[in-house]
Amino acid sequence: LLIVPVDPALDPDGLDLREAWVSTNDTDDAITFHIKVTDLSVLSGGLRGTSELFHWAFELGGKDYVVVADRPLLQPEVPIEAPGTYTLTDGSGATLKAGLVGSFDPALDLVTVTLAASDLTTATPPQDAFEVGDVLSGFKITSLRSLLVTDAVADNAKTSCTYRVGDKTPSPDPTT
């Protein structure tokens, strides 16, 4: 991934992207997007803003999609590792499916969003499900902070890498 830094004086490094990867579950019917950041704190405020947002854009089957993870910081939920909302949008930002599975894990500084094949077929409007061998490409990740009236970009990353659904390559160790 190509990391594009932001002025640290205006941007605490907590949401700086460190690594990202994609994995498929054992039954090949769900894809998980993993985002490792510098410091995903339990609670924050001040320059960290009122919420944290992560957008992972990708192309699948000739269509543009974005999985979104959004965590409000002023209204913490329990358990603290799993607050937030997880959504699938199309390339223009229209919501296709809300209620995806995901988590914010401050202990590992890791954000995950899982997209099941059934999330696509039950989207509005319905989308074609992915299958083993389908290729995801055009990856672009953006981390943002909501500052009440605007969402400020904290970091960006993009790559020309691809991911083939069903690949079982080892994932990075998020504890390092």
Side-chain angles (χ1 to χ4, degrees), residues 10-49:
L10 301 174
D11 177 23
D13 67 356
L15 300 187
D16 287 355
L17 303 167
R18 293 298 171 215
E19 59 184 326
W21 66 97
V22 181
S23 62
T24 308
N25 66 353
D26 290 338
T27 56
D28 297 323
D29 63 354
I31 300 167
T32 300
F33 299 84
H34 310 261
I35 304 169
K36 175 112 170 129
V37 297
T38 299
D39 179 25
L40 190 63
S41 57
V42 174
L43 297 173
S44 27
L47 289 178
R48 288 188 186 261

Side-chain angles (χ1 to χ4, degrees), residues 79-154:
I80 200 68
E81 291 83 12
T85 57
Y86 310 93
T87 308
L88 175 69
T89 69
D90 65 15
S92 65
T95 298
L96 297 173
K97 179 78 174 182
L100 301 181
V101 173
S103 70
F104 285 82
D105 187 341
L108 296 177
D109 300 320
L110 188 65
V111 179
T112 60
V113 180
T114 299
L115 176 65
S118 61
D119 291 329
L120 289 165
T121 60
T122 59
T124 304
Q127 306 292 302
D128 293 333
F130 56 80
E131 298 176 355
V132 172
D134 286 351
V135 175
L136 282 72
S137 62
F139 296 125
K140 181 180 178 191
I141 304 167
T142 305
S143 62
L144 305 104
R145 288 183 181 76
S146 179
L147 302 171
L148 289 179
V149 295
T150 187
D151 292 336
V153 172

